[in-house]
Amino acid sequence: MVLNYSVSAVCTCISSSNHSNKQTDDLEKPSSCEPNSPKEESSQDYDPHSYGNQQHPTYFWGTLCNMFKTIIGTGMLALPFAFRSVGYGVAIVGIFLGGCIYLHVLHLLMEVEYELCKKLKTPNLTYLDILTNIFEQGPPSVRKFIPVAKFLTYFHYVFNKCISNSIFLITIGGNLQIIVNHYCDANLSIVSAISAMMVVIIPLALIRNLKFLAPLSIMTSTFCIINIVLILSIPTDYDSSSELKAITDITKFPDFFGLSLGAFMCTSIVVPLKNDMKYPKTFTSSFGVINVTLSAVVLIYCTFGFLGYVKYGDSLQGNILFNLPPDGLITLVILNLYTFAICNSFILTLYSIFDTLWSNLFKDRKMSYPIMAEYVLRIVLCMTAYCIAVTLPDFKIMASLAGVMAILMEETMPIFFHILMLVQKEHKTIKVYLCLLKDLVLISICSSLFFAALIEVIRSIVKFYN
């Protein structure tokens, strides 16, 4: 989920001011790397990994940490509830299979990018470059859908980031609600708590330079790991060990898949992460960044979801933080650490959305007061996330909604790119046809899960308002 977040999510990897523009502009800016190979070199002989011109490249461990902290976010707080929904057996298998499918999708995206780079003889491409070129080189009947595909990509990017920020607001508002209601004996509503936090959020959102936030990003990652340990270490009187179920309600699997995928969401960031590497081959190798990161995340998610289910059983709420005993010192520490970490994530996500919109819609326009216009756009983005949060202040529903969008755009779209690449091959072998069949099966699975999860989210929204 959000959750990424982000979703979220893209933004949390923008912890270095040296690379912030590259990473946030990936969806929309043309590639900054010009072809620099010899003219006489054929596209078959050209190796994109041999031509890089990054002034400040990242290496294996730096890229690994960036990708890891991009994925791990507030979305995992809904995983114990997801385990409760379908049972720990179904959930463990579901996260493992979902992780494997998502891992394969990321490799397909990297394969498409590599083949396009060879054909165009350029070191790297942005996500939007990949989309544009794969459609342009496809059949004439497909090319006319380029504007639609671009619109969906932009819409998903901006909308899902706003969803991520609304989830951040719901989380920190819920934390404030717990603290105030317990220690001040008040009756603060979640909407009032979110509104109160905007007094802190809006001034932070006006920070124009990421270098002031870079040190906080490292602290945010550390706090998240500490919080995971603390949440699972808090003693509770509730013993659910005798009530654990391997399978509960299998009909809720689409909703579970949306929740779990929302916690994985990072498709739009893998391209700039790879492009920034000194040795990009290590990104997709057998023990490369993608494989190591996703393997670790699957293990962490299965462990956290299962132990959270063991700890609270059927009493689990959509956000496990709401299950913590409000009168404990450890709970107070967790809520404050999470509030600080999520505030930082909110600002980074907002910077990502702002940079995308500003670079493509406003930067080249003549303005009398450009700085003031920047501030206005930042405030508008803050208020957009605020309006979404107070309209539907339910953590679980918002996490599911982010996951539903991720199924459509972050899983299905790269598979479709790969299908177009295979269709364009002049000499189709049996292997190519088998790959096409496999891709069609994956798209069918993802599409079915998307519609099933979307129906479940709509039902949840209707139930919430009723």
Side-chain angles (χ1 to χ4, degrees):
M1 163 159 187
V2 66
L3 347 313
N4 119 201
Y5 322 145
S6 119
V7 252
S8 49
V10 168
C11 53
T12 50
C13 76
I14 315 170
S15 60
S16 170
S17 58
N18 290 333
H19 300 102
S20 61
N21 289 336
K22 294 187 188 72
Q23 294 178 355
T24 55
D25 296 350
D26 174 64
L27 282 175
E28 58 292 320
K29 287 187 177 179
S31 176
S32 60
C33 300
E34 298 295 332
N36 53 5
S37 60
K39 291 184 179 180
E40 64 275 5
E41 188 175 15
S42 67
S43 61
Q44 294 299 322
D45 297 329
Y46 180 82
D47 183 9
H49 292 161
S50 300
Y51 300 92
N53 59 0
Q54 302 297 344
Q55 295 181 350
H56 304 285
T58 56
Y59 293 85
F60 177 85
W61 289 108
T63 306
L64 183 72
C65 292
N66 277 337
M67 187 170 176
F68 181 80
K69 69 183 179 182
T70 299
I71 299 177
I72 299 292
T74 55
M76 68 180 301
L77 297 176
L79 289 178
F81 178 84
F83 269 66
R84 170 200 153 185
S85 299
V86 296
Y88 67 86
V90 176
I92 291 174
V93 173
I95 288 180
F96 177 77
L97 292 178
C100 288
I101 293 174
Y102 190 56
L103 175 64
H104 182 65
V105 168
L106 294 183
H107 278 286
L108 292 182
L109 179 62
M110 291 294 97
E111 181 183 344
V112 172
E113 195 249 3
Y114 181 79
E115 292 298 325
L116 284 175
C117 285
K118 288 186 66 175
K119 185 176 294 187
L120 300 173
K121 298 174 71 172
T122 185
N124 52 61
L125 297 168
T126 67
Y127 189 87
L128 196 64
D129 289 334
I130 296 173
L131 181 149
T132 303
N133 283 283
I134 201 68
F135 272 81
E136 286 180 347
Q137 298 179 29
S141 58
V142 173
R143 297 173 195 169
K144 61 184 179 181
F145 291 104
I146 292 179
V148 177
K150 284 185 177 181
F151 171 78
L152 287 176
T153 302
Y154 277 113
F155 176 79
H156 166 70
Y157 181 76
V158 175
F159 178 73
N160 232 33
K161 295 310 167 192
C162 288
I163 291 292
S164 297
N165 269 353
S166 67
I167 294 174
F168 292 149
L169 290 178
I170 292 171
T171 304
I172 59 181
N175 294 349
L176 179 63
Q177 181 188 28
I178 294 173
I179 294 173
V180 171
N181 288 349
H182 179 74
Y183 289 96
C184 300
D185 195 22
N187 189 25
L188 185 69
S189 68
I190 182 68
V191 173
S192 299
I194 294 173
S195 301
M197 288 303 302
M198 295 302 294
V199 177
V200 178
I201 289 292
I202 291 180
L204 290 176
L206 300 181
I207 297 176
R208 300 179 64 240
N209 198 324
L210 275 182
K211 70 179 181 180
F212 299 114
L213 295 174
L216 300 180
S217 183
I218 300 175
M219 296 175 61
T220 297
S221 302
T222 304
F223 288 165
C224 286
I225 296 175
I226 293 175
N227 282 333
I228 292 173
V229 176
L230 291 178
I231 288 173
L232 297 177
S233 66
I234 292 181
T236 175
D237 295 333
Y238 182 81
D239 181 16
S240 64
S241 58
S242 60
E243 303 177 20
L244 297 181
K245 299 177 182 178
I247 303 176
T248 53
D249 189 354
I250 199 67
T251 61
K252 293 183 178 180
F253 184 79
D255 187 45
F256 160 80
F257 192 80
L259 279 173
S260 59
L261 184 60
F264 277 105
M265 199 164 47
C266 70
T267 302
S268 56
I269 199 58
V270 296
V271 177
L273 285 179
K274 191 275 297 180
N275 290 346
D276 272 349
M277 290 192 72
K278 177 71 173 178
Y279 306 106
K281 286 184 179 180
T282 60
F283 193 74
T284 55
S285 60
S286 298
F287 294 94
V289 174
I290 293 181
N291 290 352
V292 173
T293 304
L294 266 295
S295 299
V297 169
V298 167
L299 180 61
I300 291 173
Y301 281 0
C302 286
T303 303
F304 182 75
F306 177 73
L307 293 181
Y309 179 40
V310 169
K311 198 172 189 67
Y312 296 105
D314 291 336
S315 67
L316 274 164
Q317 300 186 48
N319 184 343
I320 194 174
L321 294 181
F322 295 159
N323 285 97
L324 302 181
D327 55 350
L329 177 61
I330 298 180
T331 299
L332 187 62
V333 171
I334 292 173
L335 296 179
N336 281 283
L337 288 181
Y338 250 118
T339 299
F340 174 82
I342 294 172
C343 282
N344 185 46
S345 296
F346 180 98
I347 303 308
L348 292 173
T349 302
L350 181 125
Y351 184 93
S352 174
I353 310 172
F354 163 80
D355 200 55
T356 297
L357 297 177
W358 183 263
S359 300
N360 291 274
L361 300 178
F362 303 103
K363 188 175 183 180
D364 296 330
R365 296 188 179 186
K366 293 182 180 180
M367 301 180 186
S368 301
Y369 303 98
I371 303 299
M372 183 62 66
E374 284 191 28
Y375 287 143
V376 170
L377 180 58
R378 291 172 183 272
I379 293 175
V380 168
L381 292 175
C382 280
M383 296 309 297
T384 300
Y386 168 77
C387 291
I388 295 174
V390 297
T391 301
L392 189 60
D394 187 289
F395 180 91
K396 183 263 175 184
I397 295 177
M398 296 302 291
S400 298
L401 181 59
V404 167
M405 290 294 295
I407 295 174
L408 177 63
M409 296 301 299
E410 306 218 7
E411 287 226 50
T412 308
M413 188 67 80
I415 300 173
F416 186 66
F417 291 167
H418 194 255
I419 290 176
L420 290 180
M421 184 192 76
L422 295 176
V423 170
Q424 295 166 22
K425 288 184 177 292
E426 296 180 1
H427 305 288
K428 296 182 177 62
T429 62
I430 295 179
K431 182 179 180 181
V432 172
Y433 285 112
L434 290 176
C435 286
L436 273 171
L437 178 61
K438 177 259 301 177
D439 288 349
L440 291 173
V441 171
L442 286 178
I443 277 196
S444 300
I445 294 174
C446 292
S447 300
S448 300
L449 288 171
F450 165 74
F451 286 110
L454 179 62
I455 292 173
E456 189 64 31
V457 169
I458 293 174
R459 287 175 178 171
S460 299
I461 294 175
V462 173
K463 183 179 178 180
F464 175 84
Y465 283 111
N466 287 338

